[in-house]
Amino acid sequence: MKSAVGSLKSTSLSLIFSDFKEITKAKLAVSVVFSSIAGYFLGAYQIELWSVVLLAFGGYCMVGASNAYNQVIEKDLDALMKRTRNRPIPSGRMSVSTAMTVAILLTILGVISLYFLSPKTAMFGAISIFLYTSVYTPLKTKTPLAVFVGAFPGAIPFMLGWVAATDDFGIEPGTLFMIQFFWQFPHFWALGWMLDDDYKRGGFKMLPTGKKDRGTALQIILYTIWMIVISVMPAFGFTGRLHLTIPAATIVLLCGLIMLFFAFRLYEKRDNVSARRLMLASVTYISLIQIIYVVDKLIS
């Protein structure tokens, strides 16, 4: 009997943890934390473990809070889409009040943690939550420009790490911001292309032309080119302390050209397979260049 009760409790805790991961979008949150830590390593003169812990914890809380607010706001629309109908709120596993409690607690914990790093870090974290939940989320059913608006909070994490390390905002974190800002357009439009039918069930307007056409694919190519240009700029001495050696910049350029190749393939074929390949290439690209930037700093 005791064994059965213990097993039931273990199962309940497992479900709660699973729903927590889903309401905070754990995989996305971890990738954002990775970006923030990469930015911190680039900006820091000396790595402080406690600062990294605060940044990781605070960053996860801020992203998790944004995602929880988003799922509260979009609960009815999530119920209409195949990929989201089993989320904790539309499936009935979590109440709106519970989700809001989680979101508010994460907001408070995140702001406090980032404030211990620096007030500017906390400010940028709070701005990202506000833009994501109060501007980007409502716009998604109104206009494709929502992706442009959403690119602002989405570009903050890479920059946030630098600000956390230096308590300063200048050309260096601005460059990191611009890299991730331009990267988001090919990434999210490729995702939007793949999920266009499902998004339309929820009333979301994610593609720039509203269609899976050459116009959308062309814009993906153009934003990818801008992303590549910004990514190699630190090799030319325009970006202060943020610097890339020529070998590192060459590798970054090659990674960008590979992603651009997949963007051209989408323009040529205009199918979901090509969109998926571009999306996967974009995820690989942003992770690789952050690693390259950090390794280049450490060995140069």
Side-chain angles (χ1 to χ4, degrees), residues 101-151:
T101 300
V102 170
I104 292 169
L105 285 175
L106 289 176
T107 302
I108 294 169
L109 290 172
V111 169
I112 291 173
S113 298
L114 297 181
Y115 187 84
F116 277 124
L117 286 169
S118 78
K120 286 181 183 175
T121 308
M123 178 189 72
F124 281 120
I127 288 172
S128 70
I129 289 183
F130 173 78
L131 289 175
Y132 189 86
T133 60
S134 300
V135 185
Y136 166 67
T137 296
L139 281 178
K140 286 163 68 178
T141 57
K142 307 295 183 185
T143 171
L145 287 174
V147 174
F148 175 79
V149 175

Side-chain angles (χ1 to χ4, degrees), residues 134-205:
S134 300
V135 185
Y136 166 67
T137 296
L139 281 178
K140 286 163 68 178
T141 57
K142 307 295 183 185
T143 171
L145 287 174
V147 174
F148 175 79
V149 175
F152 283 90
I156 286 177
F158 201 14
M159 171 201 81
L160 191 72
W162 185 289
V163 175
T166 64
D167 194 28
D168 183 48
F169 182 84
I171 186 65
E172 299 93 346
T175 303
L176 298 180
F177 176 90
M178 293 302 290
I179 291 170
Q180 202 150 0
F181 179 81
F182 282 105
W183 167 81
Q184 286 179 90
F185 293 93
H187 173 72
F188 281 109
W189 283 336
L191 185 64
W193 189 298
M194 290 166 48
L195 301 173
D196 187 53
D197 291 338
D198 212 20
Y199 275 131
K200 284 178 178 176
R201 291 189 189 96
F204 293 119
K205 305 177 186 295

